[in-house]
Amino acid sequence: MSDTVDKERGTEPAGTGTPAPANGDAVAPGAAPVVDPRLLVREQGFAGYLTDFKRRVRGGELGSLPVILGLIAIAIIFQSLNDTFLSAGSISDIGVYIAGTGIMATGIVFVLLLGEIDLSVGSVAGVGAAVWAVLSVTHGLNDWLAVALAVLAGLGIGGLHGFFFAKVGVPAFVVTLAGFLGWSGLQIWLMGSEGSINTPGGSFVEDLTGYYFEDIAAAYGLALVAVLGYAAALLLDAKRRRAARLPSRPVSEIVVRTAVVAVVVFVVAYVLNQSRGLPLALVLFLGVLVIADFVVRRTTYGRQIFAVGGNAEAARRAGINVERVRISVFAIAGMLAAFGGLFIASLSGGATKSLGAGNTLMNVIAAAVIGGTSLFGGRGKIWSALLGILVIQSIQQGLNLLGMASEIQYMITGAVLLAAVVIDSVSRRTQKTAGRT
């Protein structure tokens, strides 16, 4: 009787020589046991990973591969056309310029994971900068308190968008389009007749993009912390998966991954130290990315975002408060938009009536999509914001060095955005054909 039960459960009594399936599924008598393919891949070493990589590509699981290849191609092309593109000064400038738009794009990643869109981020950034400038410069409020109130204003605006979307049922496109118009009007009203307020010297907002840690230990120290943190995260994840009897990365793979990351970050640190040092703007941007990535990947709330983005009705039936998730996500997007607006104000020398207008919205959304976040919801990574804004800013930096007109930059960025969406659509279709979604 016990032998029969064991066979029905997919296991064999000790001494039979038939291994139990790795995933615990039942195995019919005489059938081969089911083994998790990830175990086979890791047992085969490099050849197994190469085979698995080909399988993923054929199945449409491209991940960040197109973006990384695109960055390499951009670097080769522009460096061949202008040998200052990869210079220390140019790399340092890119690190500063990506911060504001990248932080705003991080908020958009949250929204896109829901399968929604936020068209108001540019005007919310303008309102955030205007609130700070009016409170700090015009009325003499403490600079740090003015910054905090500006960010809270963005949080409240985003939460209001989320309320109308989640509670009232107005489509997010309509709500945020109305916000784009309405908050632009508020921004102009706040700025008054002069239309611009200059950033005072020595203020926190001026330091956002103007301060550099000149000591070489700062850049190398941050690189070391990043490498150790990455290695620790991989080791802890592997330990946790082994404890749960799930497939985990072997130590050899962790070592290789850590070595690759170490080479990249220490090279970047070296290049930055050849210029003005480690920019404060880059440190803050990376800090936002790390916190947001932890929230999305390591918390229950983050898993709820993916669940709602994948299938809102299924998430609701599973007990997830869909309305709360939606409101909070738009609030986060508004908060990060206002914070990013302060970086733009720092770069431009102050708050203006037009801050956040022009191609700001396009660049923010394009950064998230180009980086690999799906427009269809439920799929993407926070680090998409970094990869995407690197592509956009690298193109702009290269074209500026070549003296290209702004309209050419718009056309090229638009073409890259279209290519990213096409890749995403084709990838989803391929995965459906392969039965992976």
Side-chain angles (χ1 to χ4, degrees), residues 213-223 269-270 272-278:
F213 297 96
E214 297 180 355
D215 191 335
I216 62 173
Y220 288 131
L222 182 61
Y270 171 80
L272 292 176
N273 280 331
Q274 302 310 302
S275 181
R276 289 166 286 184
L278 177 65

Side-chain angles (χ1 to χ4, degrees), residues 313-320:
E313 183 57 32
R316 181 179 288 106
R317 294 183 179 184
I320 296 175

Side-chain angles (χ1 to χ4, degrees), residues 109-110 113-114 291-310 320 324-325 328-329 332 378-380 382:
V109 170
F110 277 87
L113 288 176
L114 289 182
I291 294 172
D293 180 66
F294 176 82
V295 170
V296 169
R297 293 198 305 117
R298 300 296 182 183
T299 66
T300 301
Y301 173 68
R303 289 189 288 272
Q304 290 176 348
I305 293 176
F306 279 102
V308 174
I320 296 175
R324 180 185 65 84
V325 171
S328 60
V329 162
I332 290 172
R379 189 177 66 182
I382 290 298

Side-chain angles (χ1 to χ4, degrees), residues 394-409:
S394 297
I395 292 174
Q396 292 181 351
Q397 180 81 352
L399 294 177
N400 286 334
L401 291 174
L402 296 176
M404 293 287 184
S406 59
E407 56 266 27
I408 302 298
Q409 298 183 21

